[in-house]
C-alpha cells in the first residue's frame, strides 16, 4: 500500500458554486465559536447520564430507558458539533483528506448496515444495490463514510410514511464509482410528496467532502423520489 496522500480544498472547485446551488454560506468564526461553546455543556450532560446509569437500579427499566435516550441524544449532538466544525474547516480551506486505496464496495456496505439500524427505528425499509465490479479507489475511508451518513440522514428526513430508501453503487465506463441515495414515496401512497430540499447543513458538508474527492453532488427531486448522487473519480492506476 502506498503512503497516504493528502488532498486540500481546491481554490476553484469544479462543482457548482454557492450562488449557483443556493446552499447557505457559513461563517467559519461563528461555527467554530458555536462548536466550542457547546462542548462543555454536552460533556456535563454525558457525565450526568453516566452517573445515572451507574447509580440506577438495573430493575428500574423505565429510568434506564430515559438514560439511554439521553446518551443517544448526546451522541447525535456530538455528531452535529463535529459536522459544524468540519463545515468551518471547509470554509477556511483547512480540511484535508487522507487518500489510500480502499474497497469502496465494502465502505458502502458498512455505511448501509448503519443505515439499516437508523431506518428501522423509523420503520423505513431500505435496500442496497451494489455492483460487484466496483474497482478499488483512492479515497478517505472515514470521510466517505461521513458523506454516506449525511446523505442517508438527509433521505431519512424527507421520506414520508410508507416510503423507502434505496442505496446504489456501480462502476461506470470511465472507471469512476457512481453512488446514489434515493428516498421514494410508497406506490399509491396518499402521504405527502417528497421535497427537493433536504437538510442544508448535511448537504453542504457532504458536497464539500465530495468536491475534495474530485466529485460533484447532484440533488434532484420530482415529488415522488429525491435522488442524491455523486461520482468518485479517483480510480487507482
Amino acid at each position: 500500500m502506498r503512503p497516504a496522500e493528502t488532498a486540500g480544498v481546491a481554490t476553484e472547485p469544479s462543482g457548482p458554486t454557492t450562488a449557483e446551488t443556493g446552499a447557505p454560506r457559513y461563517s467559519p468564526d461563528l461555527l467554530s465559536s458555536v462548536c466550542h461553546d457547546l462542548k462543555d455543556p454536552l460533556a456535563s450532560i454525558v457525565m450526568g447520564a453516566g452517573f445515572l446509569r451507574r447509580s440506577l437500579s438495573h430493575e428500574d427499566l423505565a429510568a434506564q430507558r430515559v438514560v439511554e435516550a439521553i446518551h443517544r441524544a448526546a451522541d447525535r449532538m456530538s455528531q452535529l458539533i463535529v459536522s459544524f466544525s468540519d463545515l468551518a474547516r471547509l470554509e477556511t480551506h483547512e480540511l484535508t483528506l487522507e487518500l489510500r486505496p480502499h474497497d469502496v464496495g465494502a465502505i458502502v456496505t458498512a455505511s448501509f448496515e448503519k443505515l439499516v439500524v437508523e431506518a428501522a427505528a423509523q420503520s423505513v425499509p431500505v435496500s442496497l444495490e451494489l455492483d460487484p465490479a466496483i474497482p478499488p479507489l483512492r479515497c478517505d475511508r472515514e470521510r466517505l463514510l461521513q458523506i454516506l451518513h449525511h446523505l442517508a440522514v438527509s433521505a431519512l428526513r424527507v421520506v414520508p410514511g410508507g416510503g423507502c430508501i434505496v442505496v446504489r453503487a456501480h462502476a461506470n465506463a470511465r472507471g469512476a464509482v457512481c453512488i446514489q441515495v434515493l428516498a421514494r414515496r410508497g406506490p399509491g401512497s396518499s402521504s405527502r410528496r417528497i421535497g427537493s430540499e433536504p437538510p442544508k447543513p448535511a448537504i453542504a458538508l457532504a458536497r464539500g467532502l465530495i468536491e475534495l474527492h474530485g466529485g460533484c453532488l447532484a440533488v434532484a427531486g420530482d415529488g415522488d423520489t429525491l435522488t442524491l448522487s455523486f461520482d468518485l473519480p479517483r480510480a487507482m492506476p
Side-chain angles (χ1 to χ4, degrees):
M1 182 177 293
R2 299 179 182 178
E5 298 174 3
T6 302
V9 178
T11 56
E12 296 180 3
S14 57
T17 64
T18 300
E20 292 169 344
T21 62
R25 297 287 295 184
Y26 298 90
S27 165
D29 290 340
L30 176 60
L31 288 176
S32 297
S33 177
V34 169
C35 291
H36 181 270
D37 290 345
L38 287 175
K39 287 180 180 179
D40 286 344
L42 178 60
S44 297
I45 292 172
V46 172
M47 289 179 60
F51 173 78
L52 289 175
R53 174 183 282 171
R54 294 188 300 271
S55 302
L56 290 171
S57 168
H58 293 294
E59 298 177 356
D60 192 344
L61 299 181
Q64 290 289 350
R65 284 195 294 269
V66 171
V67 172
E68 291 305 320
I70 294 173
H71 273 287
R72 288 195 298 272
D75 286 341
R76 289 195 295 271
M77 179 60 72
S78 179
Q79 292 173 3
L80 282 173
I81 291 173
V82 171
S83 295
F84 280 110
S85 177
D86 285 342
L87 277 173
R89 293 173 63 198
L90 278 171
E91 290 289 340
T92 56
H93 296 185
E94 295 177 356
L95 194 148
T96 60
L97 301 179
E98 293 297 322
L99 300 176
R100 297 180 183 274
H102 286 291
D103 181 343
V104 176
I107 296 174
V108 173
T109 300
S111 174
F112 179 77
E113 290 172 351
K114 292 183 179 180
L115 171 60
V116 169
V117 176
E118 296 182 44
Q122 300 184 34
S123 300
V124 176
V126 295
S127 61
L128 174 63
E129 299 174 8
L130 187 64
D131 179 2
I134 291 177
L137 297 184
R138 298 187 89 62
C139 65
D140 185 319
R141 181 183 186 277
E142 296 307 314
R143 293 301 182 182
L144 180 53
L145 285 171
Q146 191 176 6
I147 291 168
L148 294 169
H149 170 74
H150 285 299
L151 296 186
V153 166
S154 297
L156 282 172
R157 293 277 181 85
V158 301
V159 69
C164 66
I165 293 176
V166 179
V167 179
R168 293 174 176 166
H170 68 275
N172 65 18
R174 301 186 305 275
V177 174
C178 305
I179 298 176
Q180 292 182 320
V181 178
L182 300 91
R184 290 175 169 169
R185 221 164 56 116
S189 173
S190 59
S191 60
R192 63 179 175 83
R193 293 173 67 81
I194 295 178
S196 59
E197 290 292 333
K200 289 185 176 181
I203 290 298
L205 181 53
R207 174 175 283 116
L209 294 174
I210 289 168
E211 290 178 351
L212 274 180
H213 278 88
C216 181
L217 175 66
V219 180
D222 59 8
D224 292 323
T225 302
L226 174 68
T227 303
L228 308 167
S229 60
F230 66 97
D231 291 352
L232 287 178
R234 292 185 180 276
M236 291 177 61

PDB file of all heavy atoms in Angstrom, residues 160-161 185-193:
ATOM      1  N   PRO A 160     -41.458  10.041   3.390  1.00  0.00           N
ATOM      2  CA  PRO A 160     -42.718  10.015   4.145  1.00  0.00           C
ATOM      3  C   PRO A 160     -43.077   8.607   4.598  1.00  0.00           C
ATOM      4  O   PRO A 160     -42.432   7.623   4.203  1.00  0.00           O
ATOM      5  CB  PRO A 160     -43.730  10.529   3.108  1.00  0.00           C
ATOM      6  CG  PRO A 160     -43.169  10.064   1.798  1.00  0.00           C
ATOM      7  CD  PRO A 160     -41.665  10.112   1.948  1.00  0.00           C
ATOM      8  N   GLY A 161     -44.091   8.498   5.431  1.00  0.00           N
ATOM      9  CA  GLY A 161     -44.558   7.193   5.861  1.00  0.00           C
ATOM     10  C   GLY A 161     -44.977   6.352   4.664  1.00  0.00           C
ATOM     11  O   GLY A 161     -45.628   6.848   3.743  1.00  0.00           O
ATOM     12  N   ARG A 185     -41.317   7.830  -2.333  1.00  0.00           N
ATOM     13  CA  ARG A 185     -42.670   7.717  -1.802  1.00  0.00           C
ATOM     14  C   ARG A 185     -43.211   6.333  -2.114  1.00  0.00           C
ATOM     15  O   ARG A 185     -42.870   5.751  -3.138  1.00  0.00           O
ATOM     16  CB  ARG A 185     -43.550   8.774  -2.470  1.00  0.00           C
ATOM     17  CG  ARG A 185     -44.513   9.449  -1.515  1.00  0.00           C
ATOM     18  CD  ARG A 185     -45.075  10.721  -2.111  1.00  0.00           C
ATOM     19  NE  ARG A 185     -45.726  10.535  -3.387  1.00  0.00           N
ATOM     20  CZ  ARG A 185     -47.015  10.752  -3.616  1.00  0.00           C
ATOM     21  NH1 ARG A 185     -47.794  11.138  -2.628  1.00  0.00           N
ATOM     22  NH2 ARG A 185     -47.528  10.612  -4.810  1.00  0.00           N
ATOM     23  N   GLY A 186     -44.048   5.805  -1.237  1.00  0.00           N
ATOM     24  CA  GLY A 186     -44.614   4.487  -1.490  1.00  0.00           C
ATOM     25  C   GLY A 186     -45.555   4.505  -2.684  1.00  0.00           C
ATOM     26  O   GLY A 186     -46.211   5.514  -2.955  1.00  0.00           O
ATOM     27  N   PRO A 187     -45.643   3.407  -3.454  1.00  0.00           N
ATOM     28  CA  PRO A 187     -46.545   3.351  -4.605  1.00  0.00           C
ATOM     29  C   PRO A 187     -47.996   3.483  -4.174  1.00  0.00           C
ATOM     30  O   PRO A 187     -48.456   2.793  -3.273  1.00  0.00           O
ATOM     31  CB  PRO A 187     -46.263   1.961  -5.207  1.00  0.00           C
ATOM     32  CG  PRO A 187     -45.690   1.169  -4.080  1.00  0.00           C
ATOM     33  CD  PRO A 187     -44.921   2.141  -3.243  1.00  0.00           C
ATOM     34  N   GLY A 188     -48.700   4.405  -4.823  1.00  0.00           N
ATOM     35  CA  GLY A 188     -50.100   4.620  -4.484  1.00  0.00           C
ATOM     36  C   GLY A 188     -50.304   5.248  -3.132  1.00  0.00           C
ATOM     37  O   GLY A 188     -51.417   5.277  -2.599  1.00  0.00           O
ATOM     38  N   SER A 189     -49.210   5.756  -2.538  1.00  0.00           N
ATOM     39  CA  SER A 189     -49.302   6.338  -1.203  1.00  0.00           C
ATOM     40  C   SER A 189     -50.032   7.673  -1.245  1.00  0.00           C
ATOM     41  O   SER A 189     -49.865   8.466  -2.165  1.00  0.00           O
ATOM     42  CB  SER A 189     -47.899   6.539  -0.622  1.00  0.00           C
ATOM     43  OG  SER A 189     -47.969   7.245   0.591  1.00  0.00           O
ATOM     44  N   SER A 190     -50.846   7.913  -0.225  1.00  0.00           N
ATOM     45  CA  SER A 190     -51.543   9.195  -0.119  1.00  0.00           C
ATOM     46  C   SER A 190     -50.788  10.157   0.779  1.00  0.00           C
ATOM     47  O   SER A 190     -51.275  11.233   1.084  1.00  0.00           O
ATOM     48  CB  SER A 190     -52.959   8.972   0.446  1.00  0.00           C
ATOM     49  OG  SER A 190     -52.873   8.368   1.727  1.00  0.00           O
ATOM     50  N   SER A 191     -49.589   9.752   1.205  1.00  0.00           N
ATOM     51  CA  SER A 191     -48.793  10.595   2.089  1.00  0.00           C
ATOM     52  C   SER A 191     -48.212  11.775   1.313  1.00  0.00           C
ATOM     53  O   SER A 191     -48.297  11.852   0.089  1.00  0.00           O
ATOM     54  CB  SER A 191     -47.665   9.782   2.735  1.00  0.00           C
ATOM     55  OG  SER A 191     -46.815   9.259   1.739  1.00  0.00           O
ATOM     56  N   ARG A 192     -47.605  12.682   2.052  1.00  0.00           N
ATOM     57  CA  ARG A 192     -47.075  13.893   1.443  1.00  0.00           C
ATOM     58  C   ARG A 192     -46.019  13.575   0.395  1.00  0.00           C
ATOM     59  O   ARG A 192     -45.349  12.551   0.443  1.00  0.00           O
ATOM     60  CB  ARG A 192     -46.466  14.791   2.519  1.00  0.00           C
ATOM     61  CG  ARG A 192     -45.281  14.163   3.247  1.00  0.00           C
ATOM     62  CD  ARG A 192     -44.706  15.107   4.272  1.00  0.00           C
ATOM     63  NE  ARG A 192     -43.656  14.464   5.051  1.00  0.00           N
ATOM     64  CZ  ARG A 192     -42.396  14.349   4.656  1.00  0.00           C
ATOM     65  NH1 ARG A 192     -42.022  14.825   3.481  1.00  0.00           N
ATOM     66  NH2 ARG A 192     -41.500  13.761   5.424  1.00  0.00           N
ATOM     67  N   ARG A 193     -45.868  14.484  -0.554  1.00  0.00           N
ATOM     68  CA  ARG A 193     -44.837  14.336  -1.568  1.00  0.00           C
ATOM     69  C   ARG A 193     -43.477  14.669  -0.974  1.00  0.00           C
ATOM     70  O   ARG A 193     -43.375  15.374   0.026  1.00  0.00           O
ATOM     71  CB  ARG A 193     -45.140  15.266  -2.761  1.00  0.00           C
ATOM     72  CG  ARG A 193     -46.393  14.851  -3.506  1.00  0.00           C
ATOM     73  CD  ARG A 193     -46.772  15.870  -4.573  1.00  0.00           C
ATOM     74  NE  ARG A 193     -45.791  15.919  -5.661  1.00  0.00           N
ATOM     75  CZ  ARG A 193     -45.762  15.056  -6.660  1.00  0.00           C
ATOM     76  NH1 ARG A 193     -46.612  14.052  -6.707  1.00  0.00           N
ATOM     77  NH2 ARG A 193     -44.871  15.167  -7.625  1.00  0.00           N
TER      78      ARG A 193
END
